[in-house]
Amino acid sequence: MSEKSIQNAILRAYATRPDMRLWRQNTGAARFKGQVVHFGVPGQADITGILHDGRRIEIEVKSETGRQSPEQQRYQCMIERFGGIYILARSVEDVAAALRAKGYEV
């Protein structure tokens, strides 16, 4: 399953639940009126959001063989250091398991 397919499945399952909000977070660069515009934070997760208790949630989506980059690992450390939840997910089930492990009802 591709990362895009996994992202879409996670968003369908969780994006608008009453106890959380999730959205896609893009990074990269685009050309705008002849200028290159960079957007996003290096290493940021693919999906971000907020849980009902105010905690930030970040979900980095990888295919079965995908690996985190050093920037993504640093971003994960920062989110966790400030009390957020960071999930490395290869499936919707990974998100459910991680949320249950943190005490959230799935």
Side-chain angles (χ1 to χ4, degrees):
M1 194 174 215
S2 71
E3 286 184 15
K4 181 68 174 165
S5 297
I6 299 166
Q7 286 173 18
N8 288 339
I10 291 168
L11 289 169
R12 277 193 304 277
Y14 291 101
T16 59
R17 286 174 42 132
D19 57 345
M20 70 176 70
R21 288 295 180 267
L22 298 177
W23 56 90
R24 177 77 175 94
Q25 184 168 255
N26 292 311
T27 60
R31 189 167 296 280
F32 181 73
K33 295 184 179 183
Q35 299 289 324
V36 176
V37 179
H38 295 271
F39 52 93
V41 176
Q44 73 185 27
D46 298 307
I47 298 171
T48 191
I50 189 165
L51 300 171
H52 65 90
D53 59 3
R55 289 181 80 181
R56 182 180 185 106
I57 182 171
E58 298 283 334
I59 304 171
E60 177 59 35
V61 179
K62 294 293 183 192
S63 67
E64 187 177 318
T65 58
R67 300 286 175 252
Q68 281 181 300
S69 70
E71 291 86 5
Q72 290 168 334
Q73 291 171 348
R74 285 191 291 275
Y75 190 84
Q76 177 180 357
C77 289
M78 185 264 303
I79 290 298
E80 292 173 341
R81 186 174 62 243
F82 285 98
I85 295 174
Y86 186 98
I87 300 170
L88 180 60
R90 297 179 193 282
S91 67
V92 173
E93 293 77 23
D94 286 350
V95 175
L99 288 171
R100 276 194 299 273
K102 294 288 186 181
Y104 291 93
E105 220 174 287
V106 180

